[in-house]
Amino acid sequence: MIDKNRKLYNEQFTEEKYQVFLQDIINQFQYVPQFKISETPAFIPKELKNKLIEACGEIMATINQPNFKELTNGAFFDKNPIVPNEDENAKFIQLDFGICKDENGDLVPKLIELQGFPSLYFFQELLGRKYREHFGNAIPENYSQHINGMTNPDYIELLRQEIVGETDPKQVILLEIEPEKQATAVDFYATEAKLGIKILCISKLIKKGKELFYLDDEGKEVKVLKIYNRIIFDELFQRDDLKREFDFLDEVDIIWIGHPNWFYRISKYTMPLLKGEFVPKSFYLDELIVIPEDLENYVLKPLYSFAGAGVQIHVTRKMINDIKKKSNYLLQEKVAYAPIIETMDELAKCEIRMMLLHNSKTNKIEIVSNLMRLSKGEMVGVKYNKDKTWVGASTGFFES
């Protein structure tokens, strides 16, 4: 997005360098990431950086309202559980923006969706570090993944403070469903490497009264004090085959690092509550009085689905009328991503996830990192970008 940086990067890029870069990432944990890693990072100009900061601020103003929990109590419907011992602040917040152009041709972020759930905090640090190691002469030293200019060691220390704190790392677990089979497993391994915490499948938890334990490598029981939760409930509900002693509705003596209820409160359910320049119009389908005539300008989304599942981008009136449980859906104004990143063939579009974290020491939610997805297809997902190059997972370096 910054011409001089893009030109320099593209000129010095070779497929051989890219393959060495990928192999280096694989060698970190002797593991092949289960998603496409883009050939390039993005270079984000000051003007867009400032708009992203402004957009995050406007959205957080709604989330920080004293009555936000009251406004989002409706998010707990059907099978959605209310997990006991909810805290006052979401620990992790992800704000996903499509990068568009306004009527003047200037770049502007538009919110796609948001999540009160952890993202790839540790893999993104690794990814940015490897881009620098392998393509560093094209990435200016004063450009940073961290919008507030913090260093990578400071960033990791902040994550350690919020996830582990003063607790023995052995008594902190990263909880998933068969973590080694998850597409995000590389982030789990990066987390384990930096924090020394245990990656654990929920089926391995042992419950004794209100206490949880797991068996270490020597077969000894270790009491769990904190859970860094990475379980998506949609998947858990589908795993009737998974035998487990612990249920999320159980009253247990642990601290949630990222309480599960925020997954529902800060989600697509929140979209109609948000207003402003950077937010597309969004409606709860069951509250929609009149179906818009220009449905070609809208997308239809299930309120709770993961990785784009069930999203309809070619919406028809019949499609809406055929939905039996309209309360489970959202109609959202379509966001027109702008093709702006010059590659070796066609221009790529991009989506940026602003990764936020509640700092317990300052009691403030801060933008701490970012994740980018580059695309040349109709949508960002893998199935829309098969056999394309210069697409996939990436990160942004912000102009200082």
Side-chain angles (χ1 to χ4, degrees):
M1 286 182 252
I2 301 176
D3 289 343
K4 62 180 180 180
N5 301 116
R6 175 52 52 207
K7 185 172 185 292
L8 177 61
Y9 189 95
N10 290 15
E11 284 175 351
Q12 61 87 61
F13 177 86
T14 67
E15 182 63 23
E16 291 74 20
K17 279 187 182 181
Y18 174 59
Q19 292 303 324
V20 172
F21 158 77
L22 288 181
Q23 191 60 49
D24 192 4
I25 291 173
I26 291 167
N27 291 345
Q28 299 302 302
F29 312 110
Q30 300 305 307
Y31 175 82
V32 180
Q34 300 301 295
F35 48 83
K36 169 75 163 58
I37 296 174
S38 177
E39 288 83 342
T40 183
F43 303 103
I44 302 173
K46 289 179 188 175
E47 294 80 2
L48 180 57
K49 177 179 77 170
N50 291 336
K51 287 178 183 176
L52 284 163
I53 294 170
E54 184 182 352
C56 290
E58 286 187 4
I59 293 161
M60 289 310 305
T62 297
I63 293 172
N64 288 332
Q65 288 179 164
N67 66 337
F68 181 73
K69 285 191 177 183
E70 182 183 338
L71 293 173
T72 55
N73 281 339
F76 300 95
F77 58 82
D78 289 353
K79 293 186 295 183
N80 299 352
I82 299 179
V83 179
N85 304 316
E86 183 178 330
D87 51 15
E88 289 305 308
N89 297 285
K91 180 59 65 181
F92 308 101
I93 299 175
Q94 318 308 321
L95 304 179
D96 291 353
F97 296 93
I99 303 304
C100 312
K101 286 188 176 180
D102 64 16
E103 61 275 9
N104 300 317
D106 296 324
L107 297 179
V108 60
K110 291 286 186 178
L111 186 68
I112 304 299
E113 61 183 56
L114 63 171
Q115 300 142 21
F117 193 76
S119 187
L120 309 188
Y121 285 89
F122 291 87
F123 176 71
Q124 287 306 110
E125 186 273 337
L126 170 64
L127 181 60
R129 188 156 35 89
K130 293 305 173 185
Y131 274 128
R132 277 205 183 277
E133 287 178 17
H134 293 271
F135 303 100
N137 61 331
I139 304 173
E141 279 298 321
N142 63 334
Y143 282 39
S144 174
Q145 282 180 284
H146 312 295
I147 212 161
N148 56 5
M150 75 169 75
T151 65
N152 276 24
D154 288 343
Y155 169 71
I156 294 297
E157 191 51 42
L158 176 59
L159 289 168
R160 185 189 310 281
Q161 167 192 303
E162 296 306 321
I163 297 172
V164 178
E166 301 301 316
T167 306
D168 182 344
K170 284 183 63 177
Q171 295 184 281
V172 182
I173 61 168
L174 185 160
L175 192 65
E176 245 295 5
I177 300 165
E178 298 181 319
E180 70 284 353
K181 296 181 181 179
Q182 298 292 336
T184 50
V186 67
D187 180 65
F188 306 158
Y189 302 141
T191 305
E192 180 183 44
K194 290 293 185 183
L195 301 185
I197 67 177
K198 179 78 170 177
I199 303 168
L200 199 73
C201 178
I202 190 171
S203 64
K204 303 296 184 185
L205 274 175
I206 301 163
K207 184 170 179 285
K208 296 183 177 182
K210 287 191 171 186
E211 297 182 327
L212 297 176
F213 301 84
Y214 70 88
L215 298 179
D216 67 13
D217 295 339
E218 298 175 355
K220 295 178 181 177
E221 285 190 352
V222 178
K223 184 178 177 180
V224 177
L225 296 182
K226 291 181 177 178
I227 295 179
Y228 177 40
N229 180 52
R230 300 298 294 268
I231 289 178
I232 299 288
F233 285 118
D234 279 9
E235 182 178 0
L236 188 62
F237 296 151
Q238 295 168 20
R239 294 300 305 272
D240 294 335
D241 61 313
L242 200 68
K243 294 180 180 178
R244 53 193 174 98
E245 296 182 18
F246 170 65
D247 187 279
F248 277 79
L249 298 182
D250 293 339
E251 283 274 3
V252 286
D253 294 332
I254 57 97
I255 295 172
W256 291 103
I257 308 301
H259 193 283
N261 288 354
W262 292 103
F263 174 78
Y264 293 105
R265 294 194 184 281
I266 301 175
S267 64
K268 287 190 279 285
Y269 186 88
T270 319
M271 290 291 295
L273 306 178
L274 304 172
K275 302 290 183 283
E277 175 189 355
F278 307 108
V279 180
K281 290 182 289 187
S282 301
F283 309 94
Y284 301 120
L285 198 59
D286 62 328
E287 295 182 8
L288 191 64
I289 298 171
V290 178
I291 297 175
E293 292 295 328
D294 59 336
L295 283 176
E296 68 276 8
N297 294 323
Y298 287 84
V299 294
L300 190 63
K301 296 181 175 182
L303 275 173
Y304 295 106
S305 64
F306 186 55
V311 174
Q312 300 292 335
I313 57 175
H314 302 295
V315 186
T316 64
R317 187 174 290 269
K318 182 179 186 305
M319 194 181 289
I320 292 174
N321 290 336
D322 286 349
I323 293 174
K324 291 183 171 56
K325 295 201 73 171
K326 290 184 170 55
S327 59
N328 287 5
Y329 283 81
L330 190 75
L331 190 68
Q332 182 177 312
E333 189 179 25
K334 198 174 280 184
V335 170
Y337 292 57
I340 52 175
I341 296 180
E342 187 177 345
T343 76
M344 299 308 184
D345 45 38
E346 61 184 303
L347 294 172
K349 299 172 283 190
C350 62
E351 180 176 295
I352 183 165
R353 170 172 294 176
M354 303 302 287
M355 299 163 65
L356 285 70
L357 175 73
H358 178 258
N359 186 328
S360 58
K361 289 189 175 178
T362 63
N363 197 29
K364 291 181 179 178
I365 292 174
E366 306 171 6
I367 303 168
V368 294
S369 191
N370 79 90
L371 177 156
M372 295 196 74
R373 301 184 187 97
L374 307 189
S375 172
K376 294 177 182 176
E378 197 171 26
M379 286 178 68
V380 171
V382 173
K383 69 179 180 180
Y384 297 95
N385 287 277
K386 287 179 180 175
D387 304 320
K388 296 182 184 293
T389 59
W390 292 57
V391 298
S394 183
T395 192
F397 289 97
F398 295 99
E399 183 180 21
S400 64

